[in-house]
Amino acid sequence: MSFENIILEMDNAIGMIYFNRPKALNALNNALLDELDTALDQVLANKEIRVLIFTGTGDKAFVAGADISELTQMDALAAKYFSRKGQKIFSKIEALPFPAIAAVNGFALGGGSEVALACDFIYASEKAIFGLPEINLGLIPGFGGTQRLSRVVGRNRAKEMIFTGSNITADKALEYGMVNQVCPHESLMDEVQKTARRIAAKGSVSLRAAKEAIQAGLGCDLETACLFENDAFAITFASPDAKEGTSAFLEKRKPEFGGN
Ligand code: CO8
């Protein structure tokens, strides 16, 4: 399937999804969400992929939110369906069996911050702007933002951002722990690619197990969470990659992980 609202590239172990409606600052409409869902299925079907990167086309925006023109055409039921569709697709990103990185190259507002928060971590251009400004439209975040933002930056900071609808800079997002690294605008993609390549050189079984253990454990008490880790650890221990990694250490050579 060819896409009109996104671009999907898969090169060796690294997948790239570009939000591609630059004239509307890459705003998320129904068509884009449908394409994103299909693209995620295509990435999942490619067993070579170890890391997926999201970014926006154009020089201004990652994603400036849900498409406000399209929202105004919806009745309450259609809007509820649209919100649920976005929630499910963003949960699919969170549940990918390999890491997803958001390379935030500009405005990440509303649904833009929400999709970035569904990724495993965020690198931002120094020009990036984050925010959940839905309150200024008489709305609230509807793609998981009330839940993921508070889990990432803490209850009080999330409430302040969502109640005031004020945006924050990349540096403030770094201070809040929402962003892992702020990069000069021109070197954002190089920095993200560098990190992606480091991750892609690891074993796919251990990447998946680490992600699943962290994600599953976040919703539980520590003892239950440690049981998830224990199961995930046992799976990695029995994998060929564990044999290769430990043998390579003892033989003083670089490991070559086969994966899958
Ligand atoms: N939707 C549709 N079009 C948009 C959007 C958007 N979210 N953002 C920008 N655009 C369009 C503008 O209308 C404009 O189009 P045109 O050239 O045809 O007039 C073009 O993009 C360029 O935008 P601006 O001229 O406004 O550019 P500026 O540099 O002056 O401003 C801003 C950039 C600050 C990003 C500004 O465009 C803005 O405030 N955008 C809206 C941000 C926003 O409120 N986002 C939240 C949307 S709601 C949301 O995300 C809810 C998610 C959950 C939904 C649940 C389902 C019901």
Side-chain angles (χ1 to χ4, degrees):
M1 175 182 171
S2 70
F3 299 116
E4 287 175 12
N5 301 286
I6 61 166
I7 299 167
L8 169 63
E9 291 172 357
M10 290 187 272
D11 186 16
N12 279 321
I14 298 177
M16 290 274 318
I17 291 181
Y18 297 83
F19 299 105
N20 186 34
R21 299 184 65 220
K23 285 189 183 141
L25 304 189
N26 303 326
L28 306 172
N29 60 10
N30 259 299
L32 189 152
L33 286 187
D34 288 339
E35 290 183 9
L36 178 58
D37 199 22
T38 304
L40 290 172
D41 287 340
Q42 291 184 8
V43 175
L44 279 164
N46 182 337
K47 298 299 171 208
E48 301 293 308
I49 297 298
R50 301 262 169 101
V51 185
L52 182 60
I53 299 168
F54 290 89
T55 195
T57 61
D59 56 2
K60 258 170 104 169
F62 176 71
V63 167
D67 189 310
I68 299 171
S69 318
E70 198 177 70
L71 283 186
T72 60
Q73 306 303 312
M74 293 178 191
D75 61 20
L77 201 59
K80 187 174 193 301
Y81 177 77
F82 183 57
S83 155
R84 192 71 192 122
K85 174 152 83 174
Q87 286 179 346
K88 284 185 181 166
I89 296 170
F90 293 4
S91 291
K92 192 165 169 176
I93 293 171
E94 198 168 60
L96 287 170
F98 41 76
I101 308 174
V104 175
N105 56 311
F107 289 110
L109 301 180
S113 275
E114 290 175 295
V115 69
L117 285 163
C119 294
D120 293 291
F121 56 85
I122 303 172
Y123 279 17
S125 148
E126 63 206 345
K127 292 187 186 170
I129 298 285
F130 295 85
L132 289 161
E134 288 88 344
I135 203 112
N136 302 325
L137 302 169
L139 297 169
I140 67 164
F143 292 150
T146 56
Q147 305 311 307
R148 288 200 180 89
L149 184 69
S150 45
R151 281 165 170 75
V152 171
V153 306
R155 188 194 72 155
N156 295 9
R157 283 170 170 163
K159 284 184 175 177
E160 186 181 5
M161 282 177 70
I162 290 170
F163 295 166
T164 64
S166 301
N167 298 333
I168 59 171
T169 62
D171 283 336
K172 182 60 90 178
L174 182 69
E175 184 193 320
Y176 278 11
M178 187 174 176
V179 157
N180 281 19
Q181 194 170 311
V182 177
C183 313
H185 188 70
E186 304 68 40
S187 56
L188 172 68
M189 292 318 296
D190 285 348
E191 291 298 326
V192 173
Q193 285 281 350
K194 224 188 287 172
T195 299
R197 278 196 296 274
R198 282 183 65 194
I199 293 172
K202 313 299 180 197
S204 62
V205 175
S206 35
L207 282 175
R208 179 180 191 152
K211 177 165 172 173
E212 282 182 3
I214 294 168
Q215 282 303 133
L218 282 172
C220 317
D221 63 276
L222 186 62
E223 206 40 49
T224 310
C226 283
L227 291 175
F228 283 127
E229 182 189 76
N230 189 241
D231 283 345
F233 178 82
I235 289 167
T236 59
F237 197 80
S239 73
D241 283 343
K243 206 160 252 116
E244 167 62 10
T246 50
S247 306
F249 175 80
L250 295 175
E251 291 160 17
K252 302 189 186 307
R253 60 175 174 82
K254 268 193 156 184
E256 283 189 33
F257 295 117
N260 299 318

